[in-house]
Amino acid sequence: MTSPSGSTPAEAEAFLAAHPEIEAFDIVLHDSNGIGRGKIIRRHELLSIYKSGRHMPISILGLDICGEDVHETGLIWDQGDGDRRAWPIPGTLVPLVGTTPPRGEVFLSLYNLDGSQMTSDPRHALQRQVDAMAAEGLYPAAAFELEFFLLENDRDANGKMVPARDVLDRRRNSKTDVYSVDQLHGMLPLFNDIYAGAKAAGIKAETLISEFAPGQYELTLHYRDNVLQAADDLMRLKRLVRMHARLHGVTACFMAKPNEDYAGSGMHLHVSLQDAKGQNVFVEAVEGQYNDTILHAIGGLQQTMGEAMLVFAPHANSWRRFASQSYAPVSPTWGVNNRSVALRIPAGDIRARRIEHRPAGVDANPYLVAATVLAGIRHGLKHRIDPGPEVTGNGYEAETTVVIPEDWRSAIRLAQGSAFLKDALGEDMHRTFTAVKAAEYARVMRTVSEVDFDLYLHTV
């Protein structure tokens, strides 16, 4: 059977010939939460996946954050939990540096048995928006930023997570030390392994930064002309960071807000649009006089942000990140060279003109984030939406008429009824995603936490 993803057996054959040392492969597809689901196969099994795909149960895309079935997705017993066929994504077959014995990895997408897309697969949701833009003569280019914490494996005596000791000399630094170069040196053995893994995987991981909290770091990624590849890069880099952190005896944390006293971790998306000739259509004729294309794109992102917030902040913990003056945007503002707004036009070379979309946390699914951002841009271009004047100064104090949900429950309700989000994700992906979020909300709300006992045990 011909692969509907465009993969070919020749890719697998060439890889096996080039890597005789590799004994096994992680085969990974991503669910609505961005969690990698799949199997570890032996070397001799790889070629058959490229020739005929691999059967996977449809329920693999209907799981919650704990890996349990969410029947409301319609992907479980409503369809008899039947098999669909997963196919390799071309260009994602790579070696995994540092594994013993050596392993490789390949990303998969899920298809129906007739070869049509299984549209609760998040990557297909992004492909759908890319195809829609291509029909309009536009081609998105993008890159994500990855913020995360490195923490000790065990909590302290008070049950709190603490910054990891340096892997080089086991020193602990509990200071913020934002942009400190010396602060990075103690973690260089870990980061050197991450860079080596990224290079082997064809990912151009770039600048390393000590971020705005103890134990917090940022890795930037090279800009891609293919937004699907940009999302693949982010997914793979998270897996690499987590794997090498374990090998060095620390925990990589991708929660949006693991520490209430410090800023959380974002997943900023930088995006621009190219025309059929490869020209950036956001570039203005006179520097600083922004053209209608970029302004309307910003207007669309502003107008749709409230309905889309569940994609950008999908978990209970996500909403703890939105606090004033925490470098996380709290309203759909825009500005130039201003980190207190949600939609920023960065300073720099005019030829690299782009929008930095800042609301998403690092816990969000990059395929769904990118799909929703592209849909918001398309909405703004279609309706020629004026974003209003840019915000100067403190964006946290700016007023806006766009309603943004104030908590997770409100975001779920708004997303469930959103015609925009249904169009952005596709009907099946929208149903799956919102059903999973509603089930997770119910799980959290029925859980009696330590906070409950602390507040109420001896007081009410």
Side-chain angles (χ1 to χ4, degrees):
M1 181 176 180
T2 301
S3 168
S5 72
S7 60
T8 65
E11 181 180 358
E13 290 168 347
F15 185 90
L16 291 171
H19 297 278
E21 77 284 0
I22 290 182
E23 298 184 14
F25 294 88
D26 297 1
I27 59 172
V28 184
L29 62 84
H30 295 95
D31 67 11
S32 64
N33 277 316
I35 295 174
R37 310 281 183 188
K39 304 177 181 183
I40 298 178
I41 63 169
R42 306 309 296 171
R43 178 185 177 90
H44 69 271
E45 298 178 88
L46 180 70
L47 191 55
S48 68
I49 295 178
Y50 277 79
K51 289 180 176 179
S52 55
R54 184 72 176 238
H55 283 138
M56 295 279 192
I58 192 173
S59 59
I60 201 169
L61 295 180
L63 304 176
D64 68 7
I65 195 71
C66 297
E68 296 187 8
D69 292 340
V70 177
H71 296 278
E72 292 80 5
T73 61
L75 300 180
I76 318 299
W77 300 125
D78 290 2
Q79 303 194 41
D81 195 16
D83 280 343
R84 299 297 184 268
R85 193 169 298 184
W87 290 90
I89 297 167
T92 65
L93 177 59
V94 299
L96 288 175
V97 172
T99 52
T100 306
R103 298 198 324 276
E105 179 181 70
V106 63
F107 285 178
L108 310 176
S109 276
L110 202 61
Y111 293 80
N112 294 313
L113 298 182
D114 64 2
S116 61
Q117 293 182 354
M118 198 281 154
T119 47
S120 286
D121 184 319
R123 201 174 189 278
H124 292 324
L126 176 52
Q127 182 70 67
R128 182 171 168 271
Q129 287 299 327
V130 170
D131 291 344
M133 277 204 153
E136 296 162 1
L138 295 171
Y139 305 89
F144 286 93
E145 297 175 5
L146 179 66
E147 295 178 356
F148 58 94
F149 283 80
L150 293 175
L151 305 173
E152 289 290 288
N153 293 333
D154 299 317
R155 303 184 192 188
D156 66 14
N158 297 316
K160 300 289 187 181
M161 301 300 298
V162 294
R165 295 180 182 274
D166 289 350
V167 299
L168 187 62
D169 55 20
R170 301 304 295 159
R171 287 191 303 165
R172 187 192 306 285
N173 190 333
S174 58
K175 297 183 296 182
T176 297
D177 255 356
V178 64
Y179 280 87
S180 168
V181 176
D182 290 343
Q183 173 65 18
L184 301 174
H185 290 170
M187 287 294 182
L188 279 182
L190 167 55
F191 282 109
N192 288 339
D193 286 348
I194 292 170
Y195 279 120
K199 182 178 180 180
I203 298 173
K204 292 183 179 179
E206 298 186 329
T207 306
L208 173 64
I209 301 169
S210 175
E211 262 291 352
F212 207 73
Q216 188 184 32
Y217 301 87
E218 178 186 282
L219 277 169
T220 61
L221 286 159
H222 188 70
Y223 215 69
R224 294 286 198 182
D225 288 339
N226 183 334
V227 69
L228 283 152
Q229 195 171 23
D232 289 340
D233 284 350
L234 194 284
M235 282 295 199
R236 178 156 280 145
L237 188 59
K238 285 181 72 173
R239 289 178 59 80
L240 287 170
V241 170
R242 182 177 283 117
M243 181 183 78
H244 287 291
R246 285 174 175 169
L247 292 174
H248 282 273
V250 300
T251 295
C253 175
F254 298 106
M255 292 171 62
K257 184 76 167 179
N259 189 321
E260 64 267 27
D261 295 325
Y262 294 96
S265 294
M267 188 179 69
H268 303 164
L269 172 60
H270 294 252
V271 61
S272 59
L273 300 180
Q274 298 176 351
D275 61 20
K277 296 180 180 179
Q279 300 299 308
N280 183 355
V281 300
F282 284 168
V283 174
E284 64 269 26
V286 178
E287 186 166 2
Q289 297 179 16
Y290 302 106
N291 64 31
D292 285 346
T293 304
I294 195 169
L295 293 176
H296 292 154
I298 290 171
L301 292 171
Q302 278 184 324
Q303 192 175 97
T304 59
M305 191 176 294
E307 297 172 70
M309 276 307 297
L310 186 63
V311 172
F312 309 142
H315 306 291
N317 178 259
S318 308
W319 292 85
R320 307 192 195 286
R321 175 171 162 259
F322 298 108
S324 182
Q325 299 180 21
S326 64
Y327 290 95
V330 292
S331 61
T333 50
W334 80 278
V336 179
N337 194 22
N338 187 337
R339 285 182 171 84
S340 66
V341 298
L343 304 166
R344 181 172 79 117
I345 298 179
D349 191 331
I350 188 174
R351 294 170 296 180
R353 187 65 72 218
R354 65 195 186 275
I355 299 168
E356 181 186 7
H357 184 273
R358 298 172 58 82
V362 74
D363 55 344
N365 183 330
Y367 298 119
L368 299 186
V369 169
T372 305
V373 167
L374 294 187
I377 290 173
R378 290 180 58 228
H379 178 79
L381 297 179
K382 178 180 178 180
H383 297 285
R384 301 184 62 81
I385 297 172
D386 181 359
E390 68 170 284
V391 169
T392 57
N394 189 349
Y396 295 110
E397 297 176 350
E399 295 183 359
T400 177
T401 58
V402 178
V403 177
I404 299 293
E406 295 182 351
D407 54 39
W408 192 29
R409 181 171 182 262
S410 301
I412 292 171
R413 286 190 169 183
L414 193 57
Q416 286 172 327
S418 170
F420 163 76
L421 196 60
K422 184 178 290 187
D423 179 69
L425 302 182
E427 186 172 349
D428 291 338
M429 187 71 251
H430 176 267
R431 182 191 65 250
T432 298
F433 178 67
T434 56
V436 166
K437 293 299 109 183
E440 290 172 357
Y441 175 81
R443 177 190 289 272
V444 169
M445 291 308 296
R446 67 174 176 261
T447 300
V448 181
S449 71
E450 197 61 37
V451 172
D452 291 87
F453 292 112
D454 182 51
L455 293 178
Y456 310 120
L457 178 61
H458 298 294
T459 57
V460 295

